[in-house]
mmCIF file of all heavy atoms in Angstrom:
data_model
loop_
_atom_site.group_PDB
_atom_site.id
_atom_site.type_symbol
_atom_site.label_atom_id
_atom_site.label_comp_id
_atom_site.label_asym_id
_atom_site.label_seq_id
_atom_site.Cartn_x
_atom_site.Cartn_y
_atom_site.Cartn_z
ATOM 1 N N ALA A 1 -0.985 26.427 -0.936
ATOM 2 C CA ALA A 1 0.335 26.646 -1.532
ATOM 3 C C ALA A 1 0.164 27.155 -2.959
ATOM 4 O O ALA A 1 -0.957 27.202 -3.489
ATOM 5 C CB ALA A 1 1.137 25.347 -1.520
ATOM 6 N N ASP A 2 1.272 27.522 -3.574
ATOM 7 C CA ASP A 2 1.212 28.040 -4.939
ATOM 8 C C ASP A 2 0.908 26.941 -5.951
ATOM 9 O O ASP A 2 0.255 27.178 -6.970
ATOM 10 C CB ASP A 2 2.535 28.721 -5.308
ATOM 11 C CG ASP A 2 2.760 30.000 -4.512
ATOM 12 O OD1 ASP A 2 1.763 30.618 -4.084
ATOM 13 O OD2 ASP A 2 3.936 30.360 -4.308
ATOM 14 N N VAL A 3 1.412 25.733 -5.671
ATOM 15 C CA VAL A 3 1.211 24.609 -6.589
ATOM 16 C C VAL A 3 0.788 23.378 -5.787
ATOM 17 O O VAL A 3 0.900 23.343 -4.565
ATOM 18 C CB VAL A 3 2.496 24.294 -7.398
ATOM 19 C CG1 VAL A 3 2.854 25.456 -8.312
ATOM 20 C CG2 VAL A 3 3.639 23.954 -6.467
ATOM 21 N N LEU A 4 0.337 22.370 -6.503
ATOM 22 C CA LEU A 4 -0.059 21.107 -5.878
ATOM 23 C C LEU A 4 1.164 20.221 -5.688
ATOM 24 O O LEU A 4 1.879 19.918 -6.655
ATOM 25 C CB LEU A 4 -1.090 20.389 -6.756
ATOM 26 C CG LEU A 4 -1.420 18.930 -6.409
ATOM 27 C CD1 LEU A 4 -1.971 18.820 -4.990
ATOM 28 C CD2 LEU A 4 -2.412 18.363 -7.427
ATOM 29 N N THR A 5 1.414 19.833 -4.444
ATOM 30 C CA THR A 5 2.474 18.866 -4.155
ATOM 31 C C THR A 5 1.968 17.850 -3.146
ATOM 32 O O THR A 5 1.078 18.139 -2.337
ATOM 33 C CB THR A 5 3.746 19.533 -3.586
ATOM 34 O OG1 THR A 5 3.412 20.207 -2.361
ATOM 35 C CG2 THR A 5 4.343 20.502 -4.579
ATOM 36 N N LEU A 6 2.527 16.648 -3.199
ATOM 37 C CA LEU A 6 2.161 15.567 -2.280
ATOM 38 C C LEU A 6 3.423 14.926 -1.730
ATOM 39 O O LEU A 6 4.349 14.602 -2.486
ATOM 40 C CB LEU A 6 1.320 14.515 -3.015
ATOM 41 C CG LEU A 6 1.017 13.222 -2.249
ATOM 42 C CD1 LEU A 6 0.182 13.495 -1.003
ATOM 43 C CD2 LEU A 6 0.314 12.213 -3.164
ATOM 44 N N GLN A 7 3.445 14.741 -0.424
ATOM 45 C CA GLN A 7 4.503 14.000 0.252
ATOM 46 C C GLN A 7 3.849 12.835 0.994
ATOM 47 O O GLN A 7 2.756 12.987 1.554
ATOM 48 C CB GLN A 7 5.250 14.897 1.244
ATOM 49 C CG GLN A 7 6.348 14.191 2.023
ATOM 50 C CD GLN A 7 7.019 15.104 3.045
ATOM 51 O OE1 GLN A 7 6.678 16.279 3.162
ATOM 52 N NE2 GLN A 7 7.952 14.554 3.800
ATOM 53 N N VAL A 8 4.500 11.688 0.996
ATOM 54 C CA VAL A 8 3.964 10.501 1.669
ATOM 55 C C VAL A 8 4.975 9.989 2.679
ATOM 56 O O VAL A 8 6.163 9.836 2.363
ATOM 57 C CB VAL A 8 3.630 9.375 0.665
ATOM 58 C CG1 VAL A 8 3.075 8.150 1.397
ATOM 59 C CG2 VAL A 8 2.628 9.863 -0.381
ATOM 60 N N THR A 9 4.507 9.735 3.896
ATOM 61 C CA THR A 9 5.328 9.069 4.902
ATOM 62 C C THR A 9 4.674 7.740 5.263
ATOM 63 O O THR A 9 3.458 7.595 5.168
ATOM 64 C CB THR A 9 5.486 9.924 6.174
ATOM 65 O OG1 THR A 9 4.211 10.033 6.836
ATOM 66 C CG2 THR A 9 5.994 11.314 5.842
ATOM 67 N N GLY A 10 5.473 6.773 5.655
ATOM 68 C CA GLY A 10 4.943 5.497 6.111
ATOM 69 C C GLY A 10 4.753 4.454 5.040
ATOM 70 O O GLY A 10 4.399 3.307 5.334
ATOM 71 N N ALA A 11 4.954 4.820 3.795
ATOM 72 C CA ALA A 11 4.819 3.858 2.687
ATOM 73 C C ALA A 11 5.533 4.413 1.468
ATOM 74 O O ALA A 11 5.664 5.635 1.304
ATOM 75 C CB ALA A 11 3.347 3.599 2.357
ATOM 76 N N ASP A 12 5.978 3.512 0.621
ATOM 77 C CA ASP A 12 6.658 3.899 -0.620
ATOM 78 C C ASP A 12 5.614 4.008 -1.722
ATOM 79 O O ASP A 12 5.329 3.053 -2.440
ATOM 80 C CB ASP A 12 7.721 2.862 -0.973
ATOM 81 C CG ASP A 12 8.521 3.256 -2.217
ATOM 82 O OD1 ASP A 12 8.465 4.441 -2.592
ATOM 83 O OD2 ASP A 12 9.176 2.374 -2.799
ATOM 84 N N LEU A 13 5.030 5.191 -1.830
ATOM 85 C CA LEU A 13 3.968 5.435 -2.801
ATOM 86 C C LEU A 13 4.363 6.582 -3.722
ATOM 87 O O LEU A 13 5.090 7.492 -3.316
ATOM 88 C CB LEU A 13 2.656 5.800 -2.078
ATOM 89 C CG LEU A 13 1.965 4.689 -1.295
ATOM 90 C CD1 LEU A 13 0.807 5.267 -0.489
ATOM 91 C CD2 LEU A 13 1.474 3.601 -2.240
ATOM 92 N N PRO A 14 3.858 6.574 -4.952
ATOM 93 C CA PRO A 14 4.133 7.691 -5.860
ATOM 94 C C PRO A 14 3.487 8.976 -5.340
ATOM 95 O O PRO A 14 2.514 8.940 -4.579
ATOM 96 C CB PRO A 14 3.509 7.247 -7.182
ATOM 97 C CG PRO A 14 2.493 6.223 -6.807
ATOM 98 C CD PRO A 14 3.022 5.530 -5.595
ATOM 99 N N THR A 15 4.013 10.099 -5.758
ATOM 100 C CA THR A 15 3.504 11.392 -5.283
ATOM 101 C C THR A 15 3.029 12.262 -6.447
ATOM 102 O O THR A 15 2.997 13.482 -6.346
ATOM 103 C CB THR A 15 4.592 12.129 -4.478
ATOM 104 O OG1 THR A 15 5.767 12.270 -5.291
ATOM 105 C CG2 THR A 15 4.947 11.354 -3.215
ATOM 106 N N ASP A 16 2.657 11.613 -7.551
ATOM 107 C CA ASP A 16 2.168 12.331 -8.724
ATOM 108 C C ASP A 16 0.802 11.778 -9.135
ATOM 109 O O ASP A 16 0.071 11.257 -8.292
ATOM 110 C CB ASP A 16 3.181 12.240 -9.867
ATOM 111 C CG ASP A 16 3.556 10.784 -10.191
ATOM 112 O OD1 ASP A 16 2.813 9.855 -9.801
ATOM 113 O OD2 ASP A 16 4.607 10.579 -10.844
ATOM 114 N N GLU A 17 0.461 11.878 -10.400
ATOM 115 C CA GLU A 17 -0.864 11.454 -10.876
ATOM 116 C C GLU A 17 -1.153 9.972 -10.649
ATOM 117 O O GLU A 17 -2.310 9.539 -10.752
ATOM 118 C CB GLU A 17 -1.009 11.767 -12.377
ATOM 119 C CG GLU A 17 -1.172 13.244 -12.710
ATOM 120 C CD GLU A 17 0.171 13.934 -12.898
ATOM 121 O OE1 GLU A 17 1.216 13.322 -12.575
ATOM 122 O OE2 GLU A 17 0.178 15.092 -13.377
ATOM 123 N N ARG A 18 -0.149 9.197 -10.320
ATOM 124 C CA ARG A 18 -0.375 7.780 -10.010
ATOM 125 C C ARG A 18 -0.977 7.579 -8.621
ATOM 126 O O ARG A 18 -1.422 6.490 -8.289
ATOM 127 C CB ARG A 18 0.941 7.001 -10.126
ATOM 128 C CG ARG A 18 1.511 6.942 -11.542
ATOM 129 C CD ARG A 18 2.926 6.395 -11.527
ATOM 130 N NE ARG A 18 3.842 7.300 -10.850
ATOM 131 C CZ ARG A 18 5.080 7.000 -10.494
ATOM 132 N NH1 ARG A 18 5.557 5.783 -10.740
ATOM 133 N NH2 ARG A 18 5.853 7.901 -9.891
ATOM 134 N N ASN A 19 -1.000 8.632 -7.832
ATOM 135 C CA ASN A 19 -1.538 8.563 -6.476
ATOM 136 C C ASN A 19 -2.948 9.151 -6.466
ATOM 137 O O ASN A 19 -3.191 10.239 -6.974
ATOM 138 C CB ASN A 19 -0.624 9.343 -5.524
ATOM 139 C CG ASN A 19 -0.979 9.117 -4.064
ATOM 140 O OD1 ASN A 19 -2.082 9.423 -3.637
ATOM 141 N ND2 ASN A 19 -0.034 8.588 -3.309
ATOM 142 N N LEU A 20 -3.879 8.430 -5.844
ATOM 143 C CA LEU A 20 -5.287 8.848 -5.841
ATOM 144 C C LEU A 20 -5.498 10.158 -5.087
ATOM 145 O O LEU A 20 -6.380 10.951 -5.443
ATOM 146 C CB LEU A 20 -6.152 7.737 -5.235
ATOM 147 C CG LEU A 20 -7.649 7.765 -5.529
ATOM 148 C CD1 LEU A 20 -7.921 7.774 -7.030
ATOM 149 C CD2 LEU A 20 -8.336 6.560 -4.875
ATOM 150 N N VAL A 21 -4.706 10.409 -4.072
ATOM 151 C CA VAL A 21 -4.797 11.682 -3.352
ATOM 152 C C VAL A 21 -4.440 12.835 -4.281
ATOM 153 O O VAL A 21 -5.139 13.863 -4.333
ATOM 154 C CB VAL A 21 -3.877 11.671 -2.106
ATOM 155 C CG1 VAL A 21 -3.715 13.081 -1.541
ATOM 156 C CG2 VAL A 21 -4.428 10.727 -1.048
ATOM 157 N N TYR A 22 -3.362 12.685 -5.011
ATOM 158 C CA TYR A 22 -2.945 13.719 -5.966
ATOM 159 C C TYR A 22 -4.042 13.939 -7.007
ATOM 160 O O TYR A 22 -4.391 15.091 -7.327
ATOM 161 C CB TYR A 22 -1.643 13.298 -6.635
ATOM 162 C CG TYR A 22 -0.995 14.378 -7.469
ATOM 163 C CD1 TYR A 22 0.062 15.126 -6.961
ATOM 164 C CD2 TYR A 22 -1.433 14.656 -8.774
ATOM 165 C CE1 TYR A 22 0.682 16.115 -7.722
ATOM 166 C CE2 TYR A 22 -0.834 15.638 -9.533
ATOM 167 C CZ TYR A 22 0.219 16.371 -9.008
ATOM 168 O OH TYR A 22 0.815 17.355 -9.760
ATOM 169 N N ARG A 23 -4.605 12.848 -7.540
ATOM 170 C CA ARG A 23 -5.637 12.983 -8.574
ATOM 171 C C ARG A 23 -6.895 13.642 -8.013
ATOM 172 O O ARG A 23 -7.564 14.420 -8.700
ATOM 173 C CB ARG A 23 -5.988 11.618 -9.168
ATOM 174 C CG ARG A 23 -4.857 10.999 -9.965
ATOM 175 C CD ARG A 23 -5.343 10.026 -11.025
ATOM 176 N NE ARG A 23 -6.147 8.934 -10.496
ATOM 177 C CZ ARG A 23 -5.639 7.812 -10.010
ATOM 178 N NH1 ARG A 23 -4.325 7.645 -9.928
ATOM 179 N NH2 ARG A 23 -6.427 6.851 -9.584
ATOM 180 N N ALA A 24 -7.235 13.338 -6.759
ATOM 181 C CA ALA A 24 -8.409 13.961 -6.144
ATOM 182 C C ALA A 24 -8.205 15.463 -5.999
ATOM 183 O O ALA A 24 -9.094 16.264 -6.322
ATOM 184 C CB ALA A 24 -8.686 13.320 -4.785
ATOM 185 N N ALA A 25 -7.031 15.858 -5.517
ATOM 186 C CA ALA A 25 -6.746 17.284 -5.366
ATOM 187 C C ALA A 25 -6.734 17.980 -6.715
ATOM 188 O O ALA A 25 -7.304 19.068 -6.881
ATOM 189 C CB ALA A 25 -5.405 17.458 -4.658
ATOM 190 N N GLN A 26 -6.117 17.349 -7.680
ATOM 191 C CA GLN A 26 -6.045 17.911 -9.029
ATOM 192 C C GLN A 26 -7.450 18.087 -9.607
ATOM 193 O O GLN A 26 -7.766 19.131 -10.215
ATOM 194 C CB GLN A 26 -5.211 16.984 -9.900
ATOM 195 C CG GLN A 26 -4.845 17.520 -11.260
ATOM 196 C CD GLN A 26 -3.933 16.546 -11.989
ATOM 197 O OE1 GLN A 26 -4.303 15.383 -12.201
ATOM 198 N NE2 GLN A 26 -2.742 16.992 -12.363
ATOM 199 N N ALA A 27 -8.304 17.087 -9.410
ATOM 200 C CA ALA A 27 -9.666 17.141 -9.939
ATOM 201 C C ALA A 27 -10.456 18.281 -9.306
ATOM 202 O O ALA A 27 -11.186 19.011 -9.998
ATOM 203 C CB ALA A 27 -10.369 15.809 -9.707
ATOM 204 N N TYR A 28 -10.316 18.451 -8.001
ATOM 205 C CA TYR A 28 -11.066 19.534 -7.336
ATOM 206 C C TYR A 28 -10.561 20.900 -7.783
ATOM 207 O O TYR A 28 -11.358 21.797 -8.104
ATOM 208 C CB TYR A 28 -10.968 19.422 -5.811
ATOM 209 C CG TYR A 28 -11.790 20.499 -5.136
ATOM 210 C CD1 TYR A 28 -13.143 20.295 -4.873
ATOM 211 C CD2 TYR A 28 -11.242 21.744 -4.825
ATOM 212 C CE1 TYR A 28 -13.913 21.304 -4.297
ATOM 213 C CE2 TYR A 28 -12.000 22.754 -4.254
ATOM 214 C CZ TYR A 28 -13.337 22.524 -3.995
ATOM 215 O OH TYR A 28 -14.110 23.516 -3.450
ATOM 216 N N LEU A 29 -9.259 21.074 -7.804
ATOM 217 C CA LEU A 29 -8.704 22.378 -8.183
ATOM 218 C C LEU A 29 -9.125 22.774 -9.595
ATOM 219 O O LEU A 29 -9.463 23.932 -9.854
ATOM 220 C CB LEU A 29 -7.174 22.343 -8.079
ATOM 221 C CG LEU A 29 -6.603 22.199 -6.654
ATOM 222 C CD1 LEU A 29 -5.107 21.915 -6.712
ATOM 223 C CD2 LEU A 29 -6.893 23.441 -5.824
ATOM 224 N N ARG A 30 -9.123 21.794 -10.503
ATOM 225 C CA ARG A 30 -9.545 22.077 -11.873
ATOM 226 C C ARG A 30 -11.030 22.400 -11.943
ATOM 227 O O ARG A 30 -11.434 23.370 -12.598
ATOM 228 C CB ARG A 30 -9.220 20.877 -12.771
ATOM 229 C CG ARG A 30 -7.739 20.740 -13.092
ATOM 230 C CD ARG A 30 -7.467 19.471 -13.890
ATOM 231 N NE ARG A 30 -6.070 19.366 -14.304
ATOM 232 C CZ ARG A 30 -5.529 18.297 -14.853
ATOM 233 N NH1 ARG A 30 -6.276 17.208 -15.074
ATOM 234 N NH2 ARG A 30 -4.258 18.284 -15.200
#
């Protein structure tokens, strides 16, 4: 995609830098 986005189903979790998946993707892209 053009930008990094995260959607979560099945749990009420943050979808920004507070989420480890988001941070992992951000770290790799950088």
Side-chain angles (χ1 to χ4, degrees):
D2 292 334
V3 295
L4 168 60
T5 60
L6 172 63
Q7 178 183 359
V8 180
T9 67
D12 183 17
L13 290 172
T15 56
D16 54 18
E17 287 88 349
R18 295 169 294 169
N19 190 299
L20 199 56
V21 167
Y22 190 100
R23 293 206 303 275
Q26 190 176 58
Y28 183 87
L29 293 169
R30 286 175 176 171

